[in-house]
Amino acid sequence: MRRAWTLVLLLLVLAGCQNGGPFGRRFTVPNMRIEGSRVIDPDDLVAAARRDLERFVENDRRLADADDASFSMEVHLREQGFPKARVRFEVENEELVFRVEEGPRACYAGVRFPGARQEFVPDLEQFFQFRGSGFLFLGPTFVNRAEVVAAVSRVREYYLTGGFIEVEVAEAELDWNAARTQAHIVVKVEEGKRYYVTSVTLEGADPCYLGDHGLTGKPFNPGAAFQLGADVRRRLRNDAYIFARTEVVSTVDEDAGSVAVKITAEKGEVTRLREIRFR
C-alpha cells in the first residue's frame, strides 16, 4: 500500500511539473516569443525567468525587467551545461523577442591541474565532484559555470591554508573533445614556495596562554595564526583580564621559506568582583 501511495504522489508531482510547476499552470507573457533554443525547452527558460517576467508585465513592459529576464535565462542555460550561452532581447513591433545562442553543451569529462603536485591531485579532484542531471541526478553531468567557479575558489583556499601563500590559480578553461560533446576542466596552478612556521612567540603575557597550538613546524596557515591570537585573548579574558587585546604579526623569510608568528598581548588591569547583589 505504501508503494502504491508513493507512485500516485510521484505521478501527481510529474503532472504538476508538466503544467509549469507543482499543481500550477504554465506561465505565459502576452506578445513574447523565444527564438534559437534548440535543446532547452523555451518553457523552461520562461520558468527560470518567471519573477523577472512577472515584473515586466506589472511594470507596463519595462525594458529593465526584460534585461533581467534575459540574464536569468542565461544563468539557467549555463546550469544546464551551456557555458557559452547568450540570451539577448529585442522589441519588434511591440513584441518582446528573446534570442538564444546556446553554444555547445559541455558534458563533464574530468578535471586536470597542470602545475600541481601529483600528491595534491586527489584532494583537488574532490572539489569537482558534481551531481548528475535529470531525475534523481542519474543523467549525464554537465559543466555548470557557477559550480566550477566555486570549485576553483576552493582550490585556491586549499593552497593558501597549506603554506602556499604565493600560489596563483588560474580561471578554469574547457578542453573540448573533437566532437565538442565532452570537455575536461583545466585549472592551471603555479604553486610557488611552501612556507613553514618556524616559531610562535607571545609578548606581554605568560607563554602558557599560547596553549598547545601545534603550529610550529607545520605549513603556514594565516587563518590558524589569527585564530591562535583570538584564543590567547579569550584565555586572558577568562583570567579576569576582560579588556585584553592581542595583535598577530607574521614575518615571512622568503629565502628560507619560513614564517615567524609573533603575538603581542595587552592584558590591561585585572577586573575584580566587588560584590554580588540579590534582589
Side-chain angles (χ1 to χ4, degrees):
M1 179 64 71
R2 182 175 299 175
R3 290 184 178 179
W5 275 110
T6 302
L7 180 59
V8 170
L9 237 133
L10 179 59
L11 290 173
L12 285 171
V13 170
L14 291 175
C17 291
Q18 291 174 353
N19 289 324
F23 313 109
R25 293 187 175 183
R26 182 172 288 124
F27 177 72
T28 58
V29 177
N31 296 324
M32 186 199 80
R33 73 177 189 271
I34 297 176
E35 296 181 350
S37 183
R38 300 174 294 101
V39 179
I40 301 300
D41 192 324
D43 289 329
D44 291 341
L45 297 178
V46 171
R50 176 165 182 160
R51 291 184 180 179
D52 303 315
L53 293 173
E54 286 176 343
R55 286 194 292 268
F56 174 75
V57 174
E58 293 168 359
N59 294 326
D60 195 24
R61 301 177 75 84
R62 185 173 65 181
L63 295 184
D65 298 313
D67 190 46
D68 291 340
S70 66
F71 177 75
S72 296
M73 292 180 186
E74 273 191 10
V75 170
H76 179 71
L77 286 165
R78 291 169 186 173
E79 289 175 348
Q80 298 304 311
F82 297 91
K84 297 185 178 181
R86 294 289 183 270
V87 180
R88 299 291 180 265
F89 77 93
E90 296 178 359
V91 178
E92 297 180 353
N93 299 322
E94 298 185 357
E95 184 179 32
L96 178 63
V97 182
F98 289 98
R99 304 193 188 283
V100 179
E101 298 177 13
E102 291 176 338
R105 194 173 200 178
C107 285
Y108 176 56
V111 61
R112 295 194 292 265
F113 304 96
R117 302 185 189 189
Q118 189 59 39
E119 63 195 88
F120 295 156
V121 169
D123 291 338
L124 301 179
E125 288 176 336
Q126 296 301 312
F127 304 137
F128 291 82
Q129 298 295 318
F130 308 129
R131 68 184 185 183
S133 61
F135 183 64
L136 296 180
F137 313 115
L138 298 177
T141 301
F142 299 115
V143 176
N144 180 325
R145 177 180 291 184
E147 291 181 348
V148 172
V149 170
V152 171
S153 294
R154 288 193 284 271
V155 170
R156 189 174 292 108
E157 182 181 0
Y158 174 88
Y159 275 100
L160 290 174
T161 58
F164 295 91
I165 60 178
E166 300 169 344
V167 67
E168 293 186 10
V169 180
E171 294 184 4
E173 300 176 356
L174 294 182
D175 183 17
W176 295 87
N177 64 351
R180 294 184 71 81
T181 55
Q182 294 185 336
H184 278 83
I185 296 172
V186 180
V187 182
K188 297 178 181 178
V189 178
E190 293 183 16
E191 295 180 339
K193 185 178 292 185
R194 193 174 199 179
Y195 290 81
Y196 289 83
V197 178
T198 54
S199 65
V200 178
T201 58
L202 175 61
E203 291 189 359
D206 193 291
C208 69
Y209 286 102
L210 288 173
D212 186 16
H213 55 79
L215 297 184
T216 305
K218 299 291 181 62
F220 174 61
N221 180 344
F226 280 105
Q227 182 58 52
L228 179 57
D231 291 342
V232 170
R233 182 171 61 250
R234 175 179 52 81
R235 292 167 186 147
L236 287 167
R237 291 178 177 179
N238 287 342
D239 279 356
Y241 297 100
I242 64 173
F243 298 107
R245 298 168 55 189
T246 56
E247 180 184 19
V248 180
V249 176
S250 300
T251 303
V252 176
D253 185 334
E254 296 182 359
D255 294 332
S258 63
V259 179
V261 178
K262 177 182 176 182
I263 301 174
T264 302
E266 296 180 12
K267 296 191 299 185
E269 298 293 329
V270 172
T271 301
R272 302 182 186 279
L273 183 63
R274 184 170 63 184
E275 61 180 318
I276 300 176
R277 295 181 181 181
F278 295 95
R279 295 183 179 179

